[in-house]
Amino acid sequence: MVVTLDLKALGWALLIIALLVLIIFCIIFMKNLIATIRHTNKILEDTERISTIAAERTEQVNESISDVAESLSGMADVIKGNQSVVAALTSIVNALGSLKNLVNRKKDKEQ
């Protein structure tokens, strides 16, 4: 039995084999790409949750800092003699209450 192949048939055979290898490679690539995209989506969801938590904490801290700054301003005014002692003490108590609430919220969320 003798098989004769010319260069044209051999070229077509090699081209078809290369095309099959390319198709298999693309299938494996797409499978890995889908797994990577799913993992990336999970990471982005976690990032969104963390960003939301950070924004909430920032608002809480900002409120507390505003109260503390107001108290310190009141104390400075008392030192200058521009405000009564009772009003200054009230501002200090309010600021300390805000700090206490912030710490309590943090402890409640940790539990």
Side-chain angles (χ1 to χ4, degrees):
M1 179 168 168
V2 176
V3 177
T4 307
L5 291 174
D6 60 347
L7 290 176
K8 184 177 181 183
L10 186 61
W12 278 108
L14 290 174
L15 189 61
I16 290 172
I17 290 171
L19 185 62
L20 288 174
V21 169
L22 181 65
I23 289 171
I24 292 170
F25 176 77
C26 287
I27 290 170
I28 292 171
F29 176 75
M30 291 304 291
K31 179 184 167 195
N32 291 335
L33 182 64
I34 289 170
T36 302
I37 288 174
R38 286 183 181 153
H39 184 67
T40 304
N41 283 338
K42 288 179 184 177
I43 291 171
L44 289 175
E45 289 171 2
D46 287 343
T47 304
E48 183 178 342
R49 281 189 295 220
I50 290 170
S51 297
T52 303
I53 291 169
E56 291 172 0
R57 296 284 192 253
T58 303
E59 289 296 324
Q60 291 172 352
V61 169
N62 190 23
E63 292 173 3
S64 297
I65 289 175
S66 295
D67 290 340
V68 170
E70 184 179 319
S71 305
L72 292 176
S73 174
M75 289 176 59
D77 287 341
V78 166
I79 292 172
K80 291 179 185 175
N82 295 335
Q83 187 180 20
S84 71
V85 174
V86 175
L89 290 175
T90 303
S91 296
I92 293 171
V93 170
N94 288 337
L96 292 175
S98 296
L99 286 174
K100 178 186 169 202
N101 289 337
L102 181 65
V103 170
N104 286 340
R105 281 187 226 145
K106 183 178 178 183
K107 286 182 182 177
D108 289 342
K109 289 189 179 186
E110 288 176 0
Q111 295 175 357

